[in-house]
Amino acid sequence: MSTRRLLWLVGIAGVALGVGVSTLLATRHFGDQAGGDVAATLLIGWSFLGTGLFAWASRPNNRIGALMVGVGTSWMVGMLANTDIPLLFSIGVLLSALPYAFVVHLLLAYPSGRLRSVLARRVVMVTYVDVLLGSLLFQAFDANIPDKADAPANVFLIADNPGLSNAILIVVTGIGLALVAMAGVLIARRWRAAPRVQRRGLAPVLWTGCLFLATLALTLVADGLTKSEELEEAFGGFALIFFLAVPYAYLAGLLGLGWSRGQAMGALMGGLNAAQERQSVRDAIADSLDDPRVVVVFKRPERDEWVDAQGQRVELPQGREVTAISRDGEVVGAIVHRPSLSDDPELLQGVADAAALALENERLEAELRARVKELQESRANIIAFGLAERRRLERDLHDGAQQRLVALSLQVNLARAKLEDDPATAARLLDSARDELRQALEELRELARGIHPAILTDQGLGPAVEALAQRSPVPVEVEGVEEATPLPSQVEAVAYFVVAESLTNVAKYASASHATVRVRRMDDHAVVEVSDDGVGGADATRGTGLRGLADRVAALDGQLRIESPTGGGTVVRAYIPCASS
Amino acid sequence: MAVTVLIVDDHPSFRATARLLLEVEGYDVVGEAKDGHEAIAQANLLRPDLVLLDVNLPDMDGFQVASRLTARNGGATPPAVILISSRDPSDFGSLVAASGARGFIPKADLSGDALAALLG
């Protein structure tokens, strides 16, 4: 059923209920003042009903409208307590306090329709239980309801026990007073937490509600303590007036809210127009929302991350509400604000929409700053990586070829010394020197290949990867390299080292029987993948090889991912952007 | 009596060549060590006259080892320490002089004459 149709049905049912109850009141056979009861039924019942339907229609997702309809309906049903058909009379008595529970619920949920705190939820729940169960128990043990002559029978009576019913009344009233007090405290807190921009909208309902609760409390006290009917009637009369005023206060609140919204939007527009001279857009938003802690963040869609105006990466803060800023249906930023502002989604949306255009410059600036930061980081990484590479080269040269050449030099010295006295030893030393020389040459060749393999420069990635595959002690299958190449030279170099280092790791650690190298183009990326069927368990955070690879890949703005479940083989996959190719 | 020598270097090929060379030159190589801790332990045990000590060791640097070896230890005469390296001596500045070592010989220039010149 559509909301519109539902509201029509509720409205018709509410009008019919009012007419029905009024007819029963007008034709009853006991008591007096039927005219007053009819007026109270219709005035209060239909006021709440009408305002509630209006609120419900204008904000279908907000429960305030439904709660007001609840107040109006239960009020009219409660008025059955003044009719003379025993069952209807008894139901009326049972439900006569329910509208007050609805009002407490409404005041605590105002204006969002949601009960924010656990305490508020508990107060509302206990209020419903108190008014329904309390009335039922009281009715079950009190024969004197109502205390009017010719009143119809109370059908819920189980046994007349004045002592018990009196005790029930005291307990129910006591609980009711405590609940009213707690509701008052919660409303006061709500008021204190509200930003200036909201108070104009909140004031009519919250203050009328507080006056109603205060006079209701006084009525209960007068009834329970003084037993003074005059006092009770006087307070009860005031309570009824404030009760009746609640729906009209709601309408006044809407006007106030609209006025505040207009003020806020005006302040924002003024602030934005003056932004170039004195205020940032953020400050203008903070002023208009009266929330000095407002934070404006920007979305970087391609990275799926948020940055502040300085381009610094930020997480959306917890415990604060976030309102998205959209442009052309795409989220470009967000306003992080205090939770209580969410009570007025229209205001937030208006501010977000107005800010969207003004924020475009700041968003682009933030994007630029973020990009500069990334480039700075990436440049620092490249420099650090270069230094680390040079250190590694120095170490490799020192530990490898240089040691061999030292030994070679010593052996030649020695052989020369022995040449005349002991030619056999001299020949042995020269043989050993030749072996050292051969190994030194091989190590230098390996080192040169590690710096930049000649085959990569001369013949490109395909032959270079084939050469790596042939040198690998583990059988390697190469797929897709020819189709994916040529790539930009720096991409081919990084791709080569990904394959070289990964195949070295396969040979050293994987205990694999087979490995596969795949290279393919995906969008504007080269994807280089080396997989094996070995023992897995590779960890990029340990060992310098994979870390160094990740740095090389990151230096080109790429990403290295490693999947290596224990016992499940290893897949090293590098995504390297190559948009310039 | 031949001068007793402990060779300390982390490269086995250098240790083997240096042993051969020193023995040919008439030195008595009594032991080898591959790092600083092993060098100190072996020196205490073998009491060599000379420790031929590589500057770049995997666990601690040769200057530290030299300082500990040449420190007076309960009245026993400490060994003479000669530092060796495949690097140029200028790479180490004043560290050689401050370490308590008798001197420095580039590895490629190691010979009986070079040792004798430093031992005096």
Side-chain angles (χ1 to χ4, degrees):
Chain A
M1 191 191 301
S2 70
T3 308
R4 178 170 279 273
R5 179 174 280 201
L6 175 71
L7 294 181
W8 272 108
L9 282 178
V10 171
I12 291 168
V15 170
L17 180 67
V19 171
V21 173
S22 300
T23 309
L24 289 170
L25 286 169
T27 56
R28 71 183 178 193
H29 297 102
F30 77 102
D32 46 13
Q33 289 182 339
D37 284 347
V38 169
T41 303
L42 296 182
L43 193 59
I44 293 178
W46 285 353
S47 291
F48 273 99
L49 183 74
T51 315
L53 288 171
F54 167 71
W56 197 338
S58 40
R59 285 188 186 180
N61 294 323
N62 186 318
R63 281 194 207 143
I64 293 296
L67 284 168
M68 280 208 250
V69 169
V71 178
T73 311
S74 61
W75 171 261
M76 290 187 281
V77 173
M79 287 305 280
L80 289 170
N82 298 307
T83 61
D84 57 2
I85 299 168
L87 179 63
L88 294 180
F89 157 77
S90 303
I91 290 173
V93 173
L94 178 66
L95 300 181
S96 56
L98 184 59
Y100 304 133
F102 271 124
V103 166
V104 168
H105 187 166
L106 186 151
L107 291 174
L108 294 186
Y110 185 75
S112 66
R114 285 175 302 169
L115 293 167
R116 284 181 183 285
S117 67
V118 178
L119 182 60
R121 281 194 285 278
R122 289 199 178 139
V123 166
V124 167
M125 197 180 70
V126 177
T127 306
Y128 283 120
V129 172
D130 190 49
V131 299
L132 289 174
L133 192 64
S135 294
L136 185 66
L137 288 173
F138 183 61
Q139 256 176 293
F141 298 104
D142 195 309
N144 291 326
I145 298 175
D147 47 0
K148 288 175 185 149
D150 308 325
N154 166 16
V155 299
F156 298 135
L157 183 69
I158 296 171
D160 185 23
N161 186 337
L164 181 59
S165 69
N166 203 34
I168 291 169
L169 187 64
I170 289 171
V171 171
V172 169
T173 309
I175 294 174
L177 277 171
L179 290 168
V180 165
M182 276 195 271
V185 170
L186 286 169
I187 290 169
R189 264 201 223 163
R190 173 79 189 80
W191 176 260
R192 271 211 311 274
R196 199 181 57 231
V197 65
Q198 279 187 332
R199 287 192 176 172
R200 200 177 285 272
L202 291 174
V205 172
L206 292 190
W207 291 121
T208 312
C210 278
L211 286 171
F212 163 67
L213 289 178
T215 46
L216 180 68
L218 288 172
T219 312
L220 290 173
V221 171
D223 184 33
L225 294 182
T226 66
K227 301 285 178 199
S228 154
E229 280 195 18
E230 290 79 15
L231 215 52
E232 187 193 338
E233 273 182 20
F235 286 135
F238 277 117
L240 214 56
I241 290 169
F242 292 130
F243 183 58
L244 170 64
V246 168
Y248 298 100
Y250 174 82
L251 294 175
L254 282 186
L255 286 177
L257 208 57
W259 190 85
S260 298
R261 242 179 246 154
Q263 285 282 98
M265 294 302 291
L268 176 65
M269 287 311 192
L272 290 182
N273 285 332
Q276 281 173 344
E277 289 100 56
R278 58 178 184 86
Q279 270 192 316
S280 70
V281 179
R282 190 218 77 92
D283 291 347
I285 293 174
D287 280 356
S288 69
L289 292 178
D290 190 29
D291 179 359
R293 289 178 60 212
V294 152
V295 177
V296 175
V297 292
F298 305 97
K299 184 87 186 266
R300 298 187 69 201
E302 76 282 10
R303 300 255 155 185
D304 196 22
E305 65 183 20
W306 298 92
V307 292
D308 62 14
Q310 272 65 49
Q312 202 78 41
R313 268 192 291 279
V314 288
E315 295 290 324
L316 289 182
Q318 302 293 312
R320 308 207 82 206
E321 297 275 324
V322 176
T323 297
I325 302 170
S326 301
R327 250 197 113 180
D328 301 329
E330 200 176 306
V331 175
V332 293
I335 303 172
V336 185
H337 51 81
R338 55 169 137 183
S340 56
L341 281 164
S342 296
D343 288 343
D344 193 354
E346 285 91 347
L347 170 68
L348 284 169
Q349 209 45 60
V351 167
D353 290 345
L357 194 63
L359 277 174
E360 190 56 14
N361 275 342
E362 294 198 11
R363 190 184 74 80
L364 291 175
E365 225 169 275
E367 168 76 32
L368 199 63
R369 287 203 174 113
R371 190 79 200 130
V372 167
K373 272 199 179 65
E374 271 178 9
L375 286 174
Q376 281 169 339
E377 279 168 21
S378 152
R379 195 175 56 182
N381 279 345
I382 292 170
I383 291 170
F385 179 70
L387 287 175
E389 278 288 275
R390 291 167 78 138
R391 273 197 298 275
R392 187 180 66 80
L393 277 178
E394 195 273 345
R395 204 173 48 239
D396 286 354
L397 276 170
H398 172 76
D399 288 347
Q402 201 174 357
Q403 296 303 324
R404 298 216 176 273
L405 292 174
V406 164
L408 179 67
S409 163
L410 292 182
Q411 283 161 355
V412 170
N413 280 349
L414 204 51
R416 190 176 187 288
K418 288 277 175 183
L419 201 55
E420 285 173 15
D421 302 346
D422 187 356
T425 304
R428 196 161 47 80
L429 283 167
L430 285 174
D431 283 345
S432 167
R434 191 182 52 204
D435 288 346
E436 290 283 358
L437 190 56
R438 231 181 249 136
Q439 289 190 43
L441 273 175
E442 183 51 38
E443 280 176 12
L444 281 174
R445 224 177 266 135
E446 274 294 317
L447 205 62
R449 210 179 280 136
I451 296 169
H452 194 89
I455 190 170
L456 185 62
T457 320
D458 299 342
Q459 300 177 47
L461 185 63
V465 168
E466 285 294 346
L468 285 175
Q470 278 163 20
R471 270 209 302 279
S472 167
V474 178
V476 179
E477 198 178 327
V478 179
E479 293 176 6
V481 187
E482 294 304 330
E483 293 79 15
T485 51
L487 296 162
S489 59
Q490 72 275 20
V491 177
E492 291 210 347
V494 170
Y496 173 85
F497 287 113
V498 169
V499 176
E501 179 69 28
S502 303
L503 287 181
T504 303
N505 288 343
V506 171
K508 275 190 188 164
Y509 312 114
S511 306
S513 65
H514 183 261
T516 307
V517 175
R518 280 187 202 91
V519 180
R520 63 178 197 276
R521 300 284 288 260
M522 198 174 77
D523 302 326
D524 11 337
H525 284 67
V527 183
V528 182
E529 184 183 293
V530 180
S531 54
D532 68 61
D533 58 355
V535 294
D539 183 355
T541 58
R542 294 210 317 261
T544 52
L546 286 174
R547 257 209 322 268
L549 265 196
D551 283 344
R552 276 188 202 249
V553 174
L556 290 188
D557 229 8
Q559 280 189 321
L560 187 77
R561 292 182 196 155
I562 293 153
E563 292 164 26
S564 189
T566 305
T570 298
V571 181
V572 175
R573 204 174 283 125
Y575 298 85
I576 313 166
C578 43
S580 60
S581 62
Chain B
M1 209 169 103
V3 177
T4 54
V5 186
L6 171 67
I7 302 174
V8 185
D9 195 293
D10 54 332
H11 295 99
S13 65
F14 176 80
R15 290 203 302 270
T17 313
R19 174 186 276 271
L20 191 63
L21 185 136
L22 292 182
E23 283 174 353
V24 166
E25 299 277 357
Y27 289 85
D28 178 12
V29 178
V30 291
E32 294 178 15
K34 65 181 182 311
D35 59 36
H37 286 103
E38 195 180 340
I40 291 163
Q42 291 278 59
N44 284 336
L45 184 72
L46 303 169
R47 303 260 168 220
D49 301 320
L50 169 65
V51 177
L52 204 57
L53 178 61
D54 184 24
V55 173
N56 297 97
L57 294 171
D59 56 345
M60 52 207 288
D61 81 50
F63 302 111
Q64 286 176 314
V65 181
S67 299
R68 286 174 59 177
L69 289 177
T70 53
R72 289 259 159 209
N73 185 8
T77 312
V81 173
I82 291 179
L83 290 161
I84 50 172
S85 174
S86 52
R87 293 177 208 272
D88 192 78
S90 63
D91 286 352
F92 304 117
S94 60
L95 288 171
V96 175
S99 69
R102 287 284 178 90
F104 178 93
I105 301 176
K107 277 185 182 177
D109 298 338
L110 183 64
S111 67
D113 289 347
L115 284 176
L118 287 176
L119 289 173

